[in-house]
Amino acid sequence: MSDGLKRRDFLKVVGASGAGAGVLGCSTEKVERLLPYVVPPEEITPGVATWYTTVCGECEAGCGMWVRTREGRVVKVEGNPEHPVSQGSLCSRGHSSLQALYNPDRFTGPMLRQGEELQPISWEDAEQMVAERLTSAGGYYLLTGSVGSSLSGLMSDFAGGTGGQVVRYDPLAEAPLREASRIVFGRDVIPWYDLEEARSLVSFGADFLESWLSPVRDGRGFARMSGVDEEGRKGHFAFVGSRLSLTGQNADEWLPIQPGTEALVALAMANVVGGGPNAGPYRNIVAAYNPENVAGIVGIEAERIRELAERFAEGPSLALGPGIAGLHRGATAANVAVAILNAVAGNVGRTIHYDAPQLDAPSTGFAPMQQAIEAMSAGDVGAVLVHGSNPAFALPASSGFREAFGSVPFKVSFASAMDETAAEADLILPDRHFLESWGDTSSRPGQWAVQQPTMRPVPHFDSKQTGDVLLSVATQMGQDLGAETFYEYLRGRWTDLAATAGAADADAFWRESLQAGLAQVGTTPSGSPATLRQPDRGLAFDPPEFDGAGELYLMVYPSSRYGDGALNANRPWLQELPDPVSKIAWHSWVEMHPNRAETLGVRDGDVVALATEHGSVEAPVWTYPGIREDVIALPMGGGHTSAGRFADGNGVNALDLLPSEAEALSGGLVHFVTKVDVMPTGAR
């Protein structure tokens, strides 16, 4: 794989022909010609672009896409202006998806491990092997990451009928936010945020312009919220956190609080806003916190907290929680405090919606994966299938995943290219890229979108859609899941959607959905705001404990370019794209306040060793005044060892410094949890 493509194979790749909704495929027999067609197919005019609608598969936000093809090859992607999430925009990861489609390190076909090497195997033999091994496994796990609605349903049907268990894992899951929504309002959901309707916005650390939940949606909403209106007024944005992210750099005001004290500030603000009569079952909690008695703990003057609360009370306003970088041992309580603040300010049903939430958002905690690791380590698991996830990279080394995974008798990866988890697998069944595949998403109740193939599969890579593989294996195991192909399975679900939508002709409904890129099924709920309810969990709002005896707190935060970087770091576009804060590309760095750097005797570019109770790494220093003096920060996404020629050896894996610990209330993987020792190495 690392030897690169030969010229003949490269011409096969760039000569790939396309197919999509209503478009017939064209011959690939002459794909080695630089001019693909002498007599072009009827549906393709050489030199004239053809466009398709689909859904971006880079994250769970579900942005609608327009895909431009030339001579049957995808050449550009853009946001679908008709889609309610993207509205014509895409993030950098969405644009970089082309490099995953044409990644020269993709597997050329299914591979079977024989000794220390991977050898080709036919799809028929590979699927038969999976069926036989799962039948005799006595129980297995299907570990998955981000998948669309229908594929998720198929996975559940497949595992339920064949004795398996689906475990979803995403290192950027907002499990504390979801659990807080359930505790405060009885809604087990990730709420929908409407930033553009707010005039006063407070983020308690959520990096909504970078990597949190739906950056394209929130970036657009923030631009409208902070823009000057017809009367010459603009919204006010305050960032409350220990480090200024790109989001924080766009704030009008920064409150650099003591790490882990978001809940105290939120409750003190709720007290000022009018938490007594409006806080319902939380009135006594809110009454116990005011700006004066929390100021000394959070490190912010009481008057600043009071002024911020008074501006927030003028409304319309919106408060956002700590986000992933602030996922500490008290993250659920912090999100509860923010939810109470939104409730007493009258924001629920106005700028934050629980009745029409964000669907498919990453919100499953680390606890199910932790249980799976324990079962694998105990020898209770006969097989593991991994799809759309790279837990060998995206889990702390202290989790023991690699050792547990290695002890499983039969391991299958659906990775389209090598990654750290696939490197340990016994069988690799390469999935197709989302631009070559069928699927669907539902970003909000009533809103559905189809993911359709925008070109024929790149011919050099003999891939197969995971849904088709699961259906084939299920049939060989004697299970009838109602379809022979995933396309049939998908169409069956959309026939049901057509009936729900009241469409007289299901085929016409399908064609219209493909053309528009969106289908409205029923109405999106609105107008029934959630109400505060009595909490059913014990809550502690005091600052959480941090591991270690040092004085420096370690903040591990998602990269604005890669997110967690588990599946997308092998793209030169993303590697070359400078970080919007540090302007650094291709490697990791340690963010440190200039005063702290002076105390340690280091400057920009000096390599320091970071050590916690859980691991150690080395990285160069980048001094940054937008961080507290007692905090240092390290981005996620670097440190790959088996992800491809562009990712391997660049930077360090920040997760290796963290414990393998689930937050008590939500089960989410804690990120902001430890202190760190910093030692200069003398290297640059």
Side-chain angles (χ1 to χ4, degrees), residues 202-205 237-245 248-249 251-262 265 294-302 304-305 308 553 555 593 624-631 672:
V202 178
S203 172
F204 287 88
F237 172 36
F239 190 82
V240 182
S242 302
R243 169 190 174 267
L244 278 181
S245 59
Q249 287 187 344
D252 301 293
E253 183 179 6
W254 177 33
L255 281 69
I257 60 171
Q258 180 74 17
T261 60
E262 303 92 348
V265 178
V294 305
I297 303 174
V298 304
I300 302 295
E301 298 86 351
R304 288 193 67 187
I305 299 174
L308 180 61
Y553 297 86
M555 177 178 286
H593 193 278
Y624 178 43
I627 191 170
R628 283 178 56 99
E629 291 189 33
D630 57 354
V631 176
F672 198 22

Side-chain angles (χ1 to χ4, degrees), residues 276-290:
N278 298 327
Y282 299 92
R283 64 175 63 88
N284 292 335
I285 293 175
V286 173
Y289 298 90
N290 59 58

Side-chain angles (χ1 to χ4, degrees), residues 415-489:
S416 62
M418 184 63 76
D419 60 38
E420 285 77 8
T421 305
E424 304 294 326
D426 302 303
L427 180 65
I428 295 174
L429 305 177
D431 194 11
R432 287 181 179 168
H433 189 271
F434 74 85
L435 292 173
E436 305 169 315
S437 305
W438 288 104
D440 60 2
T441 63
S442 179
S443 56
R444 206 176 184 192
Q447 295 177 354
W448 288 80
V450 182
Q451 172 192 303
Q452 63 173 312
T454 57
M455 64 178 286
R456 285 185 181 273
V458 181
H460 183 68
F461 310 119
D462 183 17
S463 57
K464 190 171 183 178
Q465 188 159 1
T466 297
D468 289 330
V469 175
L470 296 181
L471 287 167
S472 174
V473 171
T475 299
Q476 296 185 51
M477 295 178 69
Q479 298 294 320
D480 182 6
L481 299 184
E484 293 185 2
T485 67
F486 183 66
Y487 175 76
E488 294 177 6
Y489 185 91

Side-chain angles (χ1 to χ4, degrees), residues 50-116:
T50 304
W51 293 82
Y52 301 98
T53 62
T54 190
V55 181
C56 182
E58 288 296 315
C59 76
E60 295 86 347
C63 291
M65 264 187 175
W66 277 0
V67 181
R68 182 188 182 203
T69 67
R70 290 286 296 270
E71 284 77 58
R73 299 188 299 270
V74 175
V75 296
K76 193 176 190 303
V77 294
E78 296 181 5
N80 182 351
E82 303 301 323
H83 195 279
V85 177
S86 57
Q87 293 189 21
S89 300
L90 286 179
C91 70
S92 57
R93 273 177 279 171
H95 284 290
S96 76
S97 60
L98 282 179
Q99 290 201 318
L101 175 66
Y102 297 118
N103 178 11
D105 292 334
R106 286 179 66 175
F107 291 111
T108 56
M111 309 291 285
L112 175 66
R113 185 171 300 282
Q114 296 182 348
E116 297 298 321

Side-chain angles (χ1 to χ4, degrees), residues 4-34:
L5 292 175
K6 297 182 175 64
R7 177 180 179 276
R8 178 182 298 271
D9 292 334
F10 172 75
L11 294 178
K12 288 181 181 179
V13 173
V14 299
S17 57
V23 178
L24 298 176
C26 52
S27 172
T28 59
E29 295 177 356
K30 304 295 184 182
V31 294
E32 294 185 27
R33 297 180 181 273
L34 290 176

Side-chain angles (χ1 to χ4, degrees), residues 470-662:
L470 296 181
L471 287 167
S472 174
V473 171
T475 299
Q476 296 185 51
M477 295 178 69
Q479 298 294 320
D480 182 6
L481 299 184
E484 293 185 2
T485 67
F486 183 66
Y487 175 76
E488 294 177 6
Y489 185 91
L490 179 71
R491 284 298 306 270
R493 289 171 63 98
W494 274 74
T495 298
D496 295 339
L497 284 176
T500 302
D505 187 337
D507 290 337
F509 176 80
W510 171 255
R511 290 192 299 270
E512 292 169 1
S513 300
L514 288 178
Q515 293 170 1
L518 182 72
Q520 186 70 37
V521 181
T523 59
T524 301
S526 61
S528 56
T531 56
L532 294 170
R533 70 165 197 165
Q534 188 73 31
D536 58 3
R537 304 289 298 273
L539 298 169
F541 298 101
D542 297 331
E545 293 184 358
F546 285 78
D547 296 342
E551 59 180 1
L552 290 176
Y553 297 86
L554 173 65
M555 177 178 286
V556 173
Y557 65 91
S559 166
S560 62
R561 297 171 292 166
Y562 319 116
D564 62 272
L567 299 174
N568 56 21
N570 194 43
R571 301 178 191 175
W573 283 1
L574 293 181
Q575 291 283 353
E576 185 70 19
L577 182 66
D579 178 82
V581 175
S582 69
K583 307 301 185 289
I584 296 174
W586 287 98
H587 65 84
S588 304
W589 62 93
V590 178
E591 293 179 16
M592 183 182 300
H593 193 278
N595 293 345
R596 177 62 60 177
E598 183 178 358
T599 300
L600 292 173
V602 296
R603 55 194 175 94
D604 286 348
D606 287 351
V607 177
V608 295
L610 307 180
T612 69
E613 295 178 352
H614 316 288
S616 62
V617 299
E618 293 185 1
V621 169
W622 178 67
T623 55
Y624 178 43
I627 191 170
R628 283 178 56 99
E629 291 189 33
D630 57 354
V631 176
I632 67 168
L634 192 64
M636 301 170 67
H640 280 281
T641 57
S642 301
R645 68 190 74 186
F646 306 115
D648 290 353
N650 295 328
V652 298
N653 190 345
L655 294 177
D656 288 344
L657 296 173
L658 300 182
S660 173
E661 180 181 336

